[in-house]
Structures are given as structure tokens and as C-alpha cells.
Amino acid sequence: MTPAQLRAFAAVVRLGSVKAAAADLSVSEAAVSTHIARLRGELGDKLYARTGAGLAFTPGGLRLAGRAAELLGLQDRTLLEVSQAGSGRRLLRVAASSLFAEHAAPGLIELFASRADDLDVELSVQCPERFSTLLLNRAVDVALGPRPAEVDKAISAAPFLNYQVVGVVGARHPLATRHASTSELRQQTWLLGPSATGRTGIVPTVLRRLNLDEEHQRIFQSHAAALEEAKHGKGVALGLSFAVAEDLARGDLKRLTAPPLPAKGVWSSLALDGPSAPAAVSELIRFLTTPGAIQAMQRSAGVTAGRFRPAIHVTHWS
């Protein structure tokens, strides 16, 4: 099996047709078909057949589909490590949920990267539901954020920080000085960051508990932008208790007194088990629970609303 053959097969699996795979790989359909034919010959398996409903994979094809992305990810990781060995530097690729990436990751990673002169850290914002896939495919080395409901048995997960989310409104908002009922909360405009669009984490959990209609939700590019709107009395926002502490102390925001708030959550680290993981992964996981790391996460200045880009945000620390 060659990498080109595996990439062709993985693209067919992902996109559902040879034509779409060829377009994605910028090659001809004949090239993709040739790669698949050679895989079939080498493995002695049809891998898949075309049906009226799409592609039907054989048991062997399904097994190869699971391995192809993993093998390609391992190849990319190996090439990266060889390149790093030549340059004398290491790269740690971190995936993080949007709430963690915006408010806790900057201080944590800046401090962690400063401890090793040969280490670069790359942070990307990802949905927690994708953590397992990214780790199994070797697309990232470690994931930080809420633990997904389902985690592959090859992945170890360890909690490292408890946190609290509170409801806040501007000082002149009608709810700033009185208790609100659950039914009244459902009629408010909720100003939310990108974490509200997922299924995993404390923010989606709060929204489900409230049974909040979508028409009352406004999703912003960042959690900081949502909090800024709340300061101007535009609605109710959710914020990490340590991230809004200064705004509450200054009186720019008022804490909401209403169920089901405040709500408690836990951030965890996820990484592949076994000795193949980069040494920097175990270094980071050990570092996460140290007093210095906890202080760095809770005192992080975060990033501004204008700089945060959840869909494509990648930041390097060195």
C-alpha cells in the first residue's frame, strides 16, 4: 500500500464517490480508480461496491477505512518529527474547545512554552465531539476541554480544572437587581459565544436545561464579544466566573440570580495511550495540574473579540 493509494481510498470513504474524491485531491477520476484497483488487488478484497443508495463497503473495506486515516496521520506525524529533529525543535499540536481556547489557553500555553526553548505549541479550536477522531488520526497530539460523552478506548482522559459558568447582565438591565424565574429567562435575549453551537460542555448543558428556543439565542464570533454586548444591556450572557470577575467588581456586569445558574463544569485532557505519543504531551498533562498552570489559566487575559476566529484559529507559541 502506498500513501497515494490510501489517500485516494480515504477520500472516497469521506466523500462517497470517486468523482468527489478526485476533485478533492485535484487528480483525475482515472487516477483515483487506479489507486483503488491496486489496493483491491494487493488486499484481495473488493473494499466496496456501488449501489443505488451509494457505496456499500465490505467488512475489509470498513476496516481499511478506519486504518487509512490513522496511517496517513502517522505518516504526517513521522515526517514532522524527522523535520523537527533536523531543525532541533519540537512541535506540540493542541486542540481545544472554544471556551477553553479563548479564556484559559493563552496564559497556559504561553507559560508552558516558555519552559522549553526547543518547543513550539500550535493551538487550534475544535468541537469536543471531534477530539477522538483528531487524536486517532494523529491530526493533533492532545485535546483540552470538556470530556465528550464517548471516548475511544485507545484514548486516556484526565480532568485537570473545575470551573464555574455564571449568568451576567449589564448594570442597567431589568434583571440586574432582582431574581428571575426560569420562564422569564426563556423570554430574554441570550448573547452566546461559539461554544453554544456544540453538544458537549457546560454552555450547551445550561441551554438544554432552560429549554431555550433558538429565536432567543444570538451567537457571536467569540465569548468576549457576547459579554461586551451584555455590558450594553443587550441581553443575558454566560461567562466563566474567573473571566468576568473584574467586570463584576467594577460594576460593568451584574451577576444573575436565577436557576439553573451558576453551573459547574470540568475541563479534561485527552491523549492517545502508549509510548508513541510525543514526550511533550506527557509534559503538558503533568503541568496542567500544577499551581502555576492553574493560576495562568484563571488569570489569562485571553484574546480580544476581534482576534478570536473559532473556525480557523491557529496560534503558535515558541
Side-chain angles (χ1 to χ4, degrees):
M1 291 183 294
T2 68
Q5 292 167 0
L6 289 175
R7 289 187 194 283
F9 182 70
V12 170
V13 172
R14 187 175 74 254
L15 300 171
S17 73
V18 170
K19 182 178 181 179
D24 183 68
L25 297 173
S26 299
V27 299
S28 67
E29 292 181 43
V32 173
S33 296
T34 298
H35 287 316
I36 300 298
R38 289 176 177 170
L39 273 178
R40 285 169 164 166
E42 181 177 349
L43 297 173
D45 193 302
K46 286 183 64 176
L47 302 180
Y48 64 84
R50 293 182 179 86
T51 69
L55 300 182
F57 290 89
T58 67
L62 289 174
R63 181 159 295 185
L64 180 61
R67 292 293 188 190
E70 182 179 344
L71 290 169
L72 291 169
L74 187 58
Q75 180 199 30
D76 292 340
R77 179 73 211 183
T78 301
L79 292 173
L80 180 63
E81 289 175 346
V82 171
S83 175
Q84 291 171 348
S87 64
R89 300 197 63 80
R90 298 178 292 157
L91 175 64
L92 178 65
R93 300 167 300 169
V94 180
S97 63
S98 60
L99 191 64
F100 182 85
E102 185 175 349
H103 288 295
L108 169 72
I109 295 179
E110 183 176 6
L111 181 61
F112 179 70
S114 69
R115 300 166 70 248
D117 293 337
D118 66 334
L119 180 65
D120 295 326
V121 181
E122 177 186 286
L123 173 70
S124 63
V125 182
Q126 305 287 349
C127 293
E129 292 83 7
R130 297 194 64 231
F131 282 174
S132 286
T133 299
L134 292 167
L135 289 166
L136 291 171
N137 292 345
R138 269 66 172 190
V140 300
D141 303 310
V142 63
L144 305 176
R147 186 186 189 278
E150 296 184 5
V151 176
D152 191 276
K153 62 183 180 181
I155 295 172
S156 60
F160 63 86
L161 184 66
N162 297 322
Y163 65 94
Q164 187 179 73
V165 166
V166 297
V168 293
V169 294
R172 297 183 180 179
H173 192 278
L175 297 182
T177 57
R178 63 181 179 83
H179 180 85
S181 66
T182 302
S183 60
E184 190 174 14
L185 285 179
R186 294 193 184 108
Q187 301 306 313
Q188 302 298 314
T189 297
W190 284 73
L191 313 170
L192 304 164
S195 60
T197 62
R199 300 188 304 274
T200 303
I202 196 61
V203 172
T205 299
V206 169
L207 298 179
R208 286 194 295 269
R209 289 173 181 171
L210 285 169
N211 194 24
L212 193 65
D213 291 336
E214 284 191 8
E215 65 182 22
H216 293 295
Q217 302 179 39
R218 292 177 60 197
I219 309 297
F220 289 80
Q221 191 177 50
S222 70
H223 302 89
L227 289 169
E228 194 64 30
E229 285 290 283
K231 291 178 186 178
H232 294 92
K234 300 295 181 63
V236 178
L238 294 173
L240 291 166
S241 57
F242 62 81
V244 299
E246 290 187 7
D247 289 319
L248 291 173
R250 287 195 301 263
D252 295 336
L253 290 172
K254 296 292 184 179
R255 183 165 170 169
L256 199 63
T257 56
L261 296 164
K264 296 180 180 180
V266 181
W267 282 322
S268 297
S269 62
L270 290 87
L272 286 173
D273 278 328
S276 61
V281 171
S282 56
E283 293 171 15
L284 175 61
I285 292 175
R286 287 194 299 269
F287 180 68
L288 284 169
T289 56
T290 63
I294 293 171
Q295 289 180 1
M297 286 184 277
Q298 295 181 338
R299 295 177 181 175
S300 173
V303 296
T304 62
R307 282 188 56 204
F308 193 73
R309 300 290 188 273
I312 58 172
H313 184 66
V314 177
T315 304
H316 287 269
W317 277 266
S318 61

